[in-house]
Amino acid sequence: MGGNNRKYSCPDVGGHFGEFGGRYVSETLMPALIELQRAYREASEDKTFYEEIEYYLKQYVGRPTPLYFARAMTESLGGAKIYLKREDLAHTGAHKINNTISQAILCERMGKDRIIAETGAGQHGVATATVAALMNKECVIYMGEEDTKRQELNVFRMKLLGAEVRPVVSGTKTLKDAMNEAMRDWITNVRNTFYIIGSVAGPHPYPMMVRDFQSVIGHEAMEQILAVEGKLPDTLVACVGGGSNAMGLFFPFIEESEVRKIGVEAAGHGLESDLHSATITAGSVGVLHGSKTYLLQDENGQVKGAHSVAAGLDYPGVGPEHSYFQDTEKVEYVSVTDKEAISAFSFLSEVEGIIPALETSHAIAHVRKIAPSMSPEQTIVICLSGRGDKDIHTASSFM
Amino acid sequence: MGRIKEKFRELQEKNKAALICYITAGDPDIEFTEQIINCMEASGVDMVEIGIPFSDPMADGPVIQAASERALKNSTSVSDVLSLVSRIRSSSDIPVILFGYYNPFFSYGTERFAHDAREAGADGVLVVDLPPEEAGELGVHIEREGLDRIFLLAPTSTEERIEMVLENASGFIYMVSVTGVTGARPDMNYDLEDLVGRIKSRSDVPVGIGFGVSSARQATAIASFSDAVIVGSALIRIIEDGGTQRQEVLENISSFTKEISAACLR
């Protein structure tokens, strides 16, 4: 299969995935990133680090999450067999906790007593506030002021968990600005603070580290599908904002080139409308938040605001490894509109009794397009990255 | 000899630390930026750092963020800033350092930028989010055009990083005075003296100190052990406070920079 059978080995020592990734940060942050990289490497060589993660993933998060055969959805679409990897059943209701619990354990090992994070939809903020409560750490969550309004319930959850939520009023008042503000906090309080980035984005080692921590999704899915189907799936589908749930599902399959992998971005009001978050499908290469990656930007290199009905996809960048997967054709990237996502949100709720997050609904929407033309012998695994309770308010305004 | 080096040599003879002032280009418009630079030069400012605004200024505090937002309201671009440099250069020899975040430079094209910056008469380039590890793809062109590559060092920088920066830097080293973002602060960390000493024991590159300088008292203290005093947010605040009263802004900038410049005399 192909001339290139070299094992996949990205990133390099500086965090590069081909031309993407790296560490585009102020010198004030470099020592912190190097310290983190070293701590992560040391932890990786220590069996007890993984034992501890495994313990919490099992006992606290509730893993392994089921790989559920969605019979009604399969019958309704009349094509490939569809399996849902139920990350919505993980503690706090989304895949985000796989990463936050692992980073919090690393934080504990590094002896830092304060945790900060950025959040868009609030899922990562809640997952961070949760582990900070568990580990008894001071916790500050940065959230765009716009997002604090659309995701009031999650703001309340974070506060209940003992975190301080700081609304961000600079720039577009959304996720990208929350990330700027968290970086500023980290630059200022670097000596005692651990920054838990929520996606496979940011400067090295974050994209690699978050990928590694989220890969539990794909590892479990592989084992589970082999157990029931006796073969690898034909297609994997996941939504992509920053891209952590997609990375978690795809990465363990990355050398399985016969398994088709599809990342679904948010086309918002449509790619021609300028109101979308389809970074890979409609963006260009640039540098934001510490790494080189595809971006939504204007002709002067200024980063544009993104739009999606799903706050968790509303980000003008994307994890650098996804950019690399795009250019090396390891993964296909497509997009679906707000309208299609809302329709998929209702569809899955009605046919399966599962209310998906609006982010996840983008993946469902794409599967509705491709499953009917596939054969019943073929299988699709969707990463059901989160549950949709948080989105009821937003969705109801469209129905 | 480049203008930056020449200026440091000239100031050494006068026993004065250089006063380097930062302003964001296009705040509130590029014509006023030009007037401010002329005014600063007339008031004893030795070099200017011209900031290219960026939508996501991650290492800056609220004052410079707001300046960036004002400048972006009228879409101030790299091209606009290069034209500004040409206009300044037609009547002045003041060293000009272009300061910004990487994406606008990258979007303009690294080779094209280095070429056009030299043509316009710029002397040095400082890209906040390009540590030595990532600086190569722009740096190779900057060097080829004979411009200075200015790097940051921070109180958290290890010996290893100091070495790495010194291997790449020319013009001067921009020493960040505190761990934190830009912004005027009443107190500064005077352990810096030790850090500056360590840098100077290894290299002849001048060391300037910035991030938080807002008073003559601070300037005097810094001038006693470093080669340059760098002022940014304090000036931006004068621009911001002045609003539409431009004559008043120029007068305030003039008296502020005169006072700091005098404090730079050792």
Side-chain angles (χ1 to χ4, degrees), chain A residues 126-350:
Chain A
V126 167
T128 301
T130 299
V131 299
L134 176 70
M135 306 270 174
N136 192 26
K137 306 281 182 198
E138 183 190 337
C139 182
V140 175
I141 306 290
Y142 291 93
M143 188 169 186
E145 196 185 40
E146 280 299 313
D147 292 332
T148 60
K149 288 179 198 152
R150 339 188 234 190
Q151 302 287 341
E152 249 175 294
L153 177 67
N154 275 341
V155 172
F156 180 74
R157 288 167 83 194
M158 289 183 266
K159 287 181 178 166
L160 186 65
L161 291 159
E164 181 195 340
V165 179
R166 292 193 189 157
V168 175
V169 295
S170 56
T172 59
K173 305 183 174 80
T174 60
L175 179 56
K176 90 176 168 76
D177 306 283
M179 196 148 176
N180 290 334
E181 214 51 49
M183 287 276 183
R184 289 180 188 119
D185 182 313
W186 202 32
I187 291 173
T188 309
N189 302 300
V190 65
R191 289 188 172 95
N192 75 332
T193 298
F194 191 102
Y195 178 17
I196 300 189
I197 291 185
S199 194
V200 286
H204 183 61
Y206 285 101
M208 169 182 82
M209 192 166 73
V210 177
R211 172 195 78 192
D212 294 350
F213 293 151
Q214 289 294 1
S215 290
V216 66
I217 302 172
H219 285 300
E220 285 177 9
M222 188 185 285
E223 197 174 304
Q224 290 164 321
I225 194 92
L226 285 173
V228 291
E229 291 286 337
K231 61 179 174 104
L232 291 175
D234 294 280
T235 302
L236 306 174
V237 182
C239 65
V240 175
S244 70
N245 88 86
M247 187 58 71
L249 178 64
F250 298 165
F251 190 67
F253 294 89
I254 209 63
E255 290 184 49
E256 312 291 347
S257 55
E258 70 282 15
V259 177
R260 188 176 175 199
K261 303 160 193 84
I262 305 174
V264 187
E265 298 194 300
H269 291 200
L271 296 186
E272 61 300 324
S273 72
D274 229 31
L275 286 169
H276 62 78
S277 304
T279 312
I280 294 181
T281 22
S284 55
V285 178
V287 172
L288 176 69
H289 293 150
S291 61
K292 190 182 280 182
T293 190
Y294 280 94
L295 283 187
L296 300 179
Q297 55 183 328
D298 70 12
E299 67 283 2
N300 293 324
Q302 305 298 340
V303 181
K304 292 204 281 197
H307 166 82
S308 169
V309 68
L313 301 183
D314 200 344
Y315 180 63
V318 65
E321 197 166 14
H322 283 294
S323 296
Y324 181 64
F325 288 167
Q326 157 78 9
D327 283 14
T328 53
E329 299 178 353
K330 287 179 183 301
V331 176
E332 298 161 48
Y333 295 88
V334 298
S335 63
V336 309
T337 62
D338 283 352
K339 233 186 197 159
E340 291 168 316
I342 296 276
S343 162
F345 176 83
S346 307
F347 168 76
L348 193 72
S349 304
E350 283 165 23

Side-chain angles (χ1 to χ4, degrees), chain B residues 1-260:
Chain B
M1 192 188 300
R3 290 186 196 93
I4 295 176
K5 198 166 182 182
E6 174 68 28
K7 179 61 82 175
F8 274 113
R9 204 183 49 82
E10 179 194 318
L11 290 169
Q12 200 169 15
E13 280 167 16
K14 294 184 187 162
N15 201 20
K16 179 182 184 288
L19 171 58
I20 304 178
C21 285
Y22 168 92
I23 55 167
T24 303
D27 169 28
D29 60 52
I30 202 102
E31 292 74 26
F32 195 44
T33 304
E34 189 174 346
Q35 287 179 35
I36 292 171
I37 291 171
N38 292 334
C39 160
M40 292 197 303
E41 187 180 12
S43 311
V45 171
D46 300 301
M47 305 185 206
V48 287
E49 273 181 13
I50 303 180
I52 294 169
F54 182 47
S55 51
D56 294 80
M58 233 164 57
D60 283 299
V63 175
I64 292 182
Q65 280 176 55
S68 254
E69 284 183 21
R70 288 192 296 270
L72 288 178
K73 272 207 183 107
N74 50 52
S75 304
T76 308
S77 65
V78 171
S79 306
D80 296 333
V81 176
L82 292 175
S83 318
L84 169 69
V85 174
S86 301
R87 293 199 295 279
I88 294 166
R89 192 52 77 225
S90 68
S91 63
S92 162
D93 274 328
I94 191 166
V96 170
I97 297 125
L98 297 175
F99 183 105
Y101 291 80
Y102 190 40
N103 202 50
F105 298 102
F106 179 74
S107 160
Y108 190 87
T110 50
E111 188 170 1
R112 176 176 166 226
F113 168 74
H115 174 268
D116 293 357
R118 202 251 313 134
E119 288 250 288
D123 303 291
V125 178
L126 194 171
V127 186
V128 186
D129 53 353
L130 274 189
E133 283 89 338
E134 307 293 353
E137 70 181 6
L138 176 62
V140 57
H141 303 299
I142 297 287
E143 245 164 45
R144 188 176 304 142
E145 297 291 344
L147 302 176
D148 284 323
R149 295 174 70 191
I150 296 155
F151 284 91
L152 299 170
L153 275 173
T156 47
S157 297
T158 56
E159 298 294 314
E160 207 180 341
R161 298 209 59 77
I162 293 173
E163 284 291 336
M164 195 189 298
V165 163
L166 287 175
E167 267 169 37
N168 289 279
S170 57
F172 62 93
I173 297 284
Y174 188 131
M175 183 74 214
V176 175
S177 63
V178 288
T179 55
V181 294
T182 54
R185 292 171 176 82
D187 289 305
M188 294 189 30
N189 180 356
Y190 294 110
D191 284 352
L192 280 176
E193 190 165 352
D194 173 59
L195 190 51
V196 171
R198 281 192 288 148
I199 297 169
K200 297 191 86 55
S201 69
R202 297 176 193 197
S203 163
D204 305 331
V205 185
V207 179
I209 295 182
F211 275 40
V213 183
S214 59
S215 72
R217 185 180 58 85
Q218 288 171 327
T220 304
I222 291 170
S224 71
F225 63 86
S226 79
D227 304 296
V229 175
I230 306 170
V231 179
S233 296
L235 281 164
I236 306 283
R237 195 162 281 151
I238 294 176
I239 298 170
E240 188 177 58
D241 291 348
T244 54
Q245 304 298 313
R246 299 199 166 184
Q247 200 47 45
E248 198 181 309
V249 169
L250 292 174
E251 281 161 21
N252 290 341
I253 285 181
S254 172
S255 60
F256 176 71
T257 49
K258 275 180 186 158
E259 190 192 345
I260 304 281

